[in-house]
Amino acid sequence: MQSNQTFADLFRAGGVSRRDFLKFCSLTSVYLGLSPSMVPSIVEAMEKKVRTPVIWLHGLECTCCSESFIRSSHPTIEDLLFNMISLDYDDVLSATAGHQLEDVRRKTMKDYKGKYILAVEGNVSTKDDGVYCMVGGDSFLNTIKETAADAAAIIAWGACASFGCVQNAQPNPSGAAPISDIIKDKPIVKVPGCPPISEVMTGVVTHFHTFGTLPELDRFGRPKAFYNTRIHDKCYRRAFFEAGMFVRSFDDEATRKGWCLYKMGCKGPTTYNSCSKIQWNGGTSFPIGSGHPCIGCSEPNFWDKGPFYTRLAEVPFLGSDSNADKIGVIAVGAAAAGAAAHAAVTAVKKAKAGSEDNDKA
Amino acid sequence: MGRIIEEIYVWRLPVRLYHWINALCTVALFVTGLYIAAPLFNPPLGEAVWYKGMSWWRYLHFASAFIFVANFLFRMYWAVFGGDKYGRFGGFRPWSPAWWGKPFLEQVESYLFLRSEEPNYVGHNPVAALAHFLFIFCGSSFMIFSGLAMYGENNPGGFNSVWFGWMIPLFGSSYTLHWAHHLMAWIFPIYLIMHLYAVFRHDVVDRTSVTSSIVTGYKHKVEEEPV
Ligand code: HEM
Ligand code: HEM
Ligand code: SF4
Ligand code: SF4
């Protein structure tokens, strides 16, 4: 693998015309939310900069992020981008395996010390020294610490690496922890979603390659360009939400008419992601477009905020039958009962005191 | 009936106004909030463009929320700068061990029927002051901060999202913040029950006309039990 080629070299080698290449650059700038005046910098970076070396590790995960990444169905141009990150190590996609591959990882770490991007898919088992995730003969806990040490930055792909996902849902038997719990001294970009949208993934890489810096992040460490607004804010069913027109069961008239899924437990109002903007599979559709409520897959601990089809979550430590309203009703009932009992005692006391007074008189 | 021996002007107009605006807003916020969480009414079939089913409830929630916030800030201002003897929570010193001492214990004992004579306060008694602090001051502050944080989600980078948005990571996620806002909403009906009970009971037991005091401003001292 020649690792000193630029993106533009590879585009040319892949038979992509200059025109298509420029199109790609402007598309990318749109996805990244950059102004048109930035397009020349993207073009320049793509043409002149040596490809950014990427080490892609897999921990406790299901590989849905990789699946999303490679399935990007936009013009073949995106496949090319996939070929063009200098993906020096990826234990799932590499042809080699075993010691040979581990040597490649170490070599990249040495040759590009402080320059490579560490992309992590999946999270880290921390219980019992991390034995619940062994890759390449070592625990993933050790591997990630070793590989992160010389990285320029870390990209945490997906809900797993960003927040934990299903592995660290209660009761979290393997002590699964998101990357930010393990690595504290490196810049981390969180790209949550189960999986994240492929254009979001390529957009983050392109930003780093172009500007040499991480994209602007929000309070959770997610790129603002893609995670600044909620599904709800850009949802095409929002008009039905505002009108109070809701689907009430999956086989009613409203379902056929495509009304808002709020009452079916839609988590769109509390979920930050780009599904309602960029959509999935090259803009084909997204879950709400297909009539399914958003389950909030890009939000922290979304598995523990179920059930997916009701709006108000259960209170986990109080069993599966409780929610905020039930607690509230019980507490109000208790307050009323307490007041009534107190009133009764007061009345009895008063009556007693009154009769004593009368006796004295 | 005992003769009125003293009339005291306790609640000045700003306090009474605050009280009733606050009470109305709280009820409105509770009702509209629960509706937002679980919209009940079915609109007739038709085009979304003609209906405002959800927008109205949300609009009412936010409108009363902003009145509620302004009113709350006004009460804080009045407590600090109003120069109002009974309206400044002057006696409330929970940081000092002395405050938790005799007067507080006496009031608790009285509520628990452990003493026969009732301590009597013209302003707030210490237990009432503590309840106001926990339910009204802390409770309202929480509802305001979490509410404004959620309100700011509409407009990322705007005023509310910049100044209150930190509530979201603090509570783990937007969903958990909604949940906490929803759960905390229930403290208001609980408070209302305890509050009304306490007011009516004091009126019956001490006969200081406390119930009407929040309308007229006056409390009364009456003669001891007539024979
Ligand atoms: C949600 C409804 C209500 C809330 C949140 C509320 C809250 C409060 C607060 C915060 C105070 C302290 C006033 C201050 O010093 O600023 C107060 C006092 C008072 N409220 Fe309410 N109130 C509510 C409803 C009512 C109602 C319906 C009544 C009437 C029957 C009432 C009667 C009184 C009285 C008599 C006082 C003076 C008590 C004292 O001597 O300490 N309140 N209330
Ligand atoms: C006494 C005070 C308040 C009560 C009892 C109350 C109650 C509620 C309830 C029960 C909900 C539904 C939560 C859910 O399940 O999603 C809610 C939502 C909300 N409240 Fe409040 N609230 C109060 C004050 C405020 C304030 C001061 C604001 C500030 C603007 C505010 C803003 C909001 C917002 C933005 C929502 C979310 C609406 C949506 O998701 O469409 N609330 N409130
Ligand atoms: S379907 Fe979900 S995201 Fe869309 S408007 Fe309704 S609640 Fe919001
Ligand atoms: S609509 Fe919601 S649950 Fe579905 S992919 Fe997007 S963020 Fe995840």
Side-chain angles (χ1 to χ4, degrees), chain B residues 10-11 15-16 18-20 22-27 68 75 86-89 121-125 128-129 132 136-137 140 188-189 191-192 195-196 199-200 209-215 219:
Chain B
V10 190
W11 310 121
V15 174
R16 284 178 278 149
Y18 158 78
H19 180 269
W20 290 111
N22 185 52
L24 286 178
C25 285
T26 308
V27 172
F68 179 82
R75 184 67 182 87
Y86 300 114
R88 69 192 166 96
F89 305 103
Y121 291 85
V122 179
H124 305 292
N125 79 51
H132 284 164
I136 301 301
F137 182 78
S140 302
F188 292 91
Y191 174 84
L192 183 63
H195 179 59
L196 288 183
V199 167
F200 294 157
S209 45
V210 36
T211 312
S212 59
S213 75
I214 201 68
V215 179
K219 284 190 183 177

Side-chain angles (χ1 to χ4, degrees), chain A residues 219-220 228 230 241-245 248 259 262-263 270 272 300 305 311 313 315 325 342-343 345-346 349-350, chain B residues 36 39-43 45-46 53-55 111 113 153-154 156 161-162 172-175 178 182 186 197 201:
Chain A
R219 288 188 173 95
F220 282 94
N228 210 16
R230 299 169 297 176
F241 173 84
E242 297 296 344
M245 298 163 88
R248 276 149 214 268
W259 290 5
Y262 186 72
K263 280 183 84 74
T270 52
Y272 289 79
K305 289 172 196 155
R311 197 178 136 62
V315 183
D325 280 339
H342 200 272
V345 178
T346 310
K349 282 234 161 181
K350 252 205 132 176
Chain B
I36 292 171
L40 295 172
F41 300 135
N42 258 324
L45 291 177
M54 195 70 167
S55 322
Y111 279 133
F113 307 111
E153 292 187 283
N154 269 330
S161 116
V162 170
S173 69
S174 168
Y175 186 86
H178 268 78
H182 192 127
W186 283 97
Y197 172 67
R201 179 178 183 276

Side-chain angles (χ1 to χ4, degrees), chain A residues 193-330:
Chain A
C194 190
I197 304 169
S198 54
E199 285 78 7
V200 171
M201 300 175 78
T202 47
V204 171
V205 175
T206 315
H207 190 289
F208 183 82
H209 179 73
T210 311
F211 301 109
T213 57
L214 298 177
E216 204 188 337
L217 304 180
D218 70 2
R219 288 188 173 95
F220 282 94
R222 304 171 296 200
K224 277 190 181 169
F226 304 110
Y227 295 92
N228 210 16
T229 55
R230 299 169 297 176
I231 304 295
H232 192 55
D233 293 320
K234 299 277 159 79
C235 178
Y236 76 106
R237 298 192 182 204
R238 179 67 180 258
F240 294 106
F241 173 84
E242 297 296 344
M245 298 163 88
F246 301 109
V247 172
R248 276 149 214 268
S249 91
F250 280 123
D251 54 5
D252 65 3
E253 178 71 13
T255 309
R256 256 165 279 141
K257 294 213 145 94
W259 290 5
C260 169
L261 294 158
Y262 186 72
K263 280 183 84 74
M264 302 310 291
C266 184
K267 305 290 186 288
T270 52
T271 302
Y272 289 79
N273 204 340
S274 288
C275 308
S276 51
K277 288 185 277 189
I278 297 179
Q279 307 204 343
W280 284 85
N281 301 322
T284 309
S285 184
F286 72 117
I288 293 168
S290 316
H292 193 278
C294 169
I295 61 174
C297 77
S298 55
E299 286 291 301
N301 308 322
F302 72 101
W303 289 102
D304 292 331
K305 289 172 196 155
F308 290 154
Y309 301 102
T310 50
R311 197 178 136 62
L312 202 60
E314 294 157 354
V315 183
F317 53 90
L318 290 178
S320 60
D321 217 23
S322 57
N323 64 32
D325 280 339
K326 285 189 187 152
I327 297 176
V329 170
I330 290 170

